[in-house]
Amino acid sequence: MVFAFSIGMLKQFMPKREIVLVLVVAFLIGAIGGAFFLDPIYDELPNVVGAIERNMPNNEETLYLDLSSSIDIDELKDNLSNTEGFKSFKEESITIPMWTFNEREHNYFEEIVGNIDYNYKDYNITSSEIKISLEDNYTSSEALKSFSDWYKLVYGDTISYAQVHAILVVDSASLDTFEQNLLDKGIVATNIEGPIQDTVDNTNRSMLSDTEFTLFCGGLGVVAAVLGIYIDSVVPAYRRFRKFVNDKRKR
């Protein structure tokens, strides 16, 4: 911008028809500077805003986890609960993969699943899986066992796998620690909700695209050049205005 401003100040040494060229050069300088120097800084804005929000007191983040039933969830819960910033961990539901149901089979499971265990808070039958919501203090392993016991009694086979859906609530300031802790165990949250994520998402939505930001910087280059072109008339006018205001105050 300083370079574009300096080019504009050279107006008095060039023909008037060259002013358009000065503006074009100023636009290119601003656009190139924006694309190569300012854009990487601009892209970090969501992270900066998120870091500020992270340090606000009493903020909480909710992480939605999809876990394999083969994981020792009790051990995972103990590990998380002993980490600073832990708020709560709840096994919300399990999804049991099945075969592709025909209409008769689908209707049968719709009628029977709710009667297998009174700790099934709710359930949903799709074309090839069964999702069961769990009552409080009822674990996914207990739900999977009760369903597997019934399945073995009716079909003579066992169900040994389900996907466990859990909700982890943590202090916003400790979010990075919990994400790394989970990542070390091969777990990545499927969704995160809370002040940090909301702030980052809102910032991303309000930001200009790379092309728009480059054009904006080019426009700033033109503005800087125009200021340089007319600085000789702007400065004396400003001085006269300031003198006029001072004279008014003295009166």
Side-chain angles (χ1 to χ4, degrees), residues 55-83:
N55 293 310
M56 294 295 178
N58 302 320
N59 279 349
E60 295 180 350
E61 301 295 315
T62 302
L63 292 79
Y64 295 88
L65 310 176
D66 289 339
L67 310 170
S68 169
S69 59
S70 61
I71 292 177
D72 188 336
I73 295 180
D74 289 335
E75 180 184 353
L76 174 64
K77 183 177 180 179
D78 288 341
N79 179 275
L80 294 173
S81 62
N82 289 322
T83 303

Side-chain angles (χ1 to χ4, degrees), residues 75-94:
E75 180 184 353
L76 174 64
K77 183 177 180 179
D78 288 341
N79 179 275
L80 294 173
S81 62
N82 289 322
T83 303
E84 184 179 356
F86 174 83
K87 292 293 185 181
S88 66
F89 180 89
K90 182 179 184 300
E91 298 171 62
E92 185 182 45
S93 61
I94 62 171

Side-chain angles (χ1 to χ4, degrees), residues 105-115 123-126:
E105 292 169 333
H106 186 279
N107 292 337
Y108 172 71
F109 279 105
E110 281 279 9
E111 293 177 1
I112 201 65
V113 170
N115 298 319
Y123 62 93
N124 180 48
I125 313 296
T126 67

Side-chain angles (χ1 to χ4, degrees), residues 77 88-92 121 134-136 165-168:
K77 183 177 180 179
S88 66
F89 180 89
K90 182 179 184 300
E91 298 171 62
E92 185 182 45
K121 183 176 181 180
L134 310 179
E135 291 285 0
D136 294 339
H165 309 287
I167 298 177
L168 171 65

